[in-house]
Amino acid sequence: MKTTKISFVYRNIFVYRLILFFLYLGQYNRRYKTIINQIDLNTDKSVVELCFGDIFIAKWCQKKNISWIGFDINDAFIKYAELKKFVVHKKYIDEKTNFGQSDLIIVSGSLYHFKNNINIFLDNILRQTNKLIIQEPVFNWIRIKFLGNFIKTFTNVNGKEYDLRFTFDELKKIFNSLNEKNYKVQYLKPNWKDAMIVVKKVNLQKISKK
């Protein structure tokens, strides 16, 4: 990771949508719908979304009468969400950040920001929620040589450029280390670009069966 200027992708929500639309080959909205498919209307009554970027999930939660709170460091995303009357917090997120207790935390497309302290970061999140949904790109245009340097400029967030990305095997290795007595982990491949990991606390599932 190195310091650089913020990418133009993150300076405007509409530019962000346009670039992601092309990077997902026209399936930008579908990436959010695959997350929404994992939200349980009976148990996931409070949702916290980290590095939320767009408000696709927020709008869906609003329609379903689900509490949604977003955290991001990007001024453009924060201002747009506030304009649409959503509860958001501008905050630099790290492995010590307090988000408050929730039924569900979502991290979509930004887990690589925390790669250097990933285990501590996940421990902190899992202490604050009953369920975690991770959706992370494992096919990355950045690995294609003639596109790599150009695409890398899209990762400049808050003046920092992130060089590293996860593979699906790396993600599995990280989440396989969770204690199976405490967590149930599910691995999914919702589309050609992303991997999804759903983590649920086992003790809550046992209680609900009584």
Side-chain angles (χ1 to χ4, degrees):
M1 181 182 70
K2 59 184 179 181
T3 302
T4 184
K5 292 182 179 180
I6 299 174
S7 170
F8 71 93
V9 178
Y10 298 102
R11 295 178 186 177
N12 182 293
I13 184 63
F14 302 105
V15 173
Y16 175 80
R17 287 172 177 170
L18 179 63
I19 296 298
L20 269 290
F21 178 85
F22 283 109
L23 290 179
Y24 275 83
L25 303 181
Q27 299 180 4
Y28 174 65
N29 288 348
R30 190 177 297 178
R31 79 188 277 252
Y32 291 110
K33 291 178 181 178
T34 58
I35 296 173
I36 287 171
N37 288 340
Q38 297 299 320
I39 299 177
D40 190 324
L41 293 174
N42 295 317
T43 58
D44 301 331
K45 296 296 186 180
S46 58
V47 175
V48 170
E49 189 173 356
L50 309 186
C51 307
F52 63 88
D54 211 336
I55 54 172
F56 194 100
I57 294 173
K59 291 190 289 187
W60 182 87
C61 287
Q62 186 180 62
K63 291 178 182 178
K64 300 297 181 179
N65 199 28
I66 295 173
S67 169
W68 179 93
I69 299 175
F71 288 82
D72 210 302
I73 193 62
N74 184 286
D75 284 323
F77 296 160
I78 290 290
K79 289 177 181 178
Y80 183 75
E82 288 178 334
L83 182 66
K84 298 299 181 178
K85 308 300 182 183
F86 289 106
V87 178
V88 292
H89 300 285
K90 182 184 177 183
K91 184 174 288 191
Y92 177 79
I93 299 172
D94 60 19
E95 65 277 8
K96 299 178 181 178
T97 305
N98 180 26
F99 310 108
Q101 291 296 317
S102 65
D103 295 321
L104 169 63
I105 288 181
I106 298 171
V107 183
S108 177
S110 55
L111 191 67
Y112 67 94
H113 294 172
F114 313 101
K115 190 166 187 176
N116 291 336
N117 297 300
I118 187 64
N119 291 320
I120 301 173
F121 176 73
L122 290 174
D123 285 345
N124 182 50
I125 287 180
L126 290 169
R127 282 196 297 268
Q128 300 180 65
T129 193
N130 301 329
K131 178 179 172 184
L132 171 63
I133 296 177
I134 300 284
Q135 183 159 284
E136 191 74 4
V138 290
F139 173 87
N140 292 292
W141 298 103
I142 202 169
R143 293 195 176 102
I144 301 176
K145 289 185 178 180
F146 69 92
L147 288 175
N149 289 333
F150 174 64
I151 297 297
K152 191 184 295 183
T153 64
F154 293 177
T155 71
N156 305 351
V157 182
N158 194 32
K160 296 177 181 179
E161 184 179 284
Y162 297 83
D163 299 314
L164 301 175
R165 294 293 186 279
F166 290 106
T167 65
F168 203 175
D169 286 339
E170 286 175 329
L171 290 172
K172 287 180 179 179
K173 184 177 181 181
I174 290 167
F175 286 91
N176 281 341
S177 67
L178 293 176
N179 190 329
E180 63 181 14
K181 292 182 179 179
N182 299 324
Y183 301 102
K184 178 182 178 182
V185 182
Q186 183 180 12
Y187 300 101
L188 303 168
K189 196 71 173 62
N191 56 58
W192 62 274
K193 190 174 184 355
D194 296 323
M196 178 181 286
I197 300 97
V198 181
V199 183
K200 299 178 183 178
K201 287 183 177 176
V202 173
N203 60 333
L204 290 177
Q205 293 179 329
K206 289 181 178 179
I207 291 173
S208 65
K209 291 179 182 179
K210 293 182 179 180

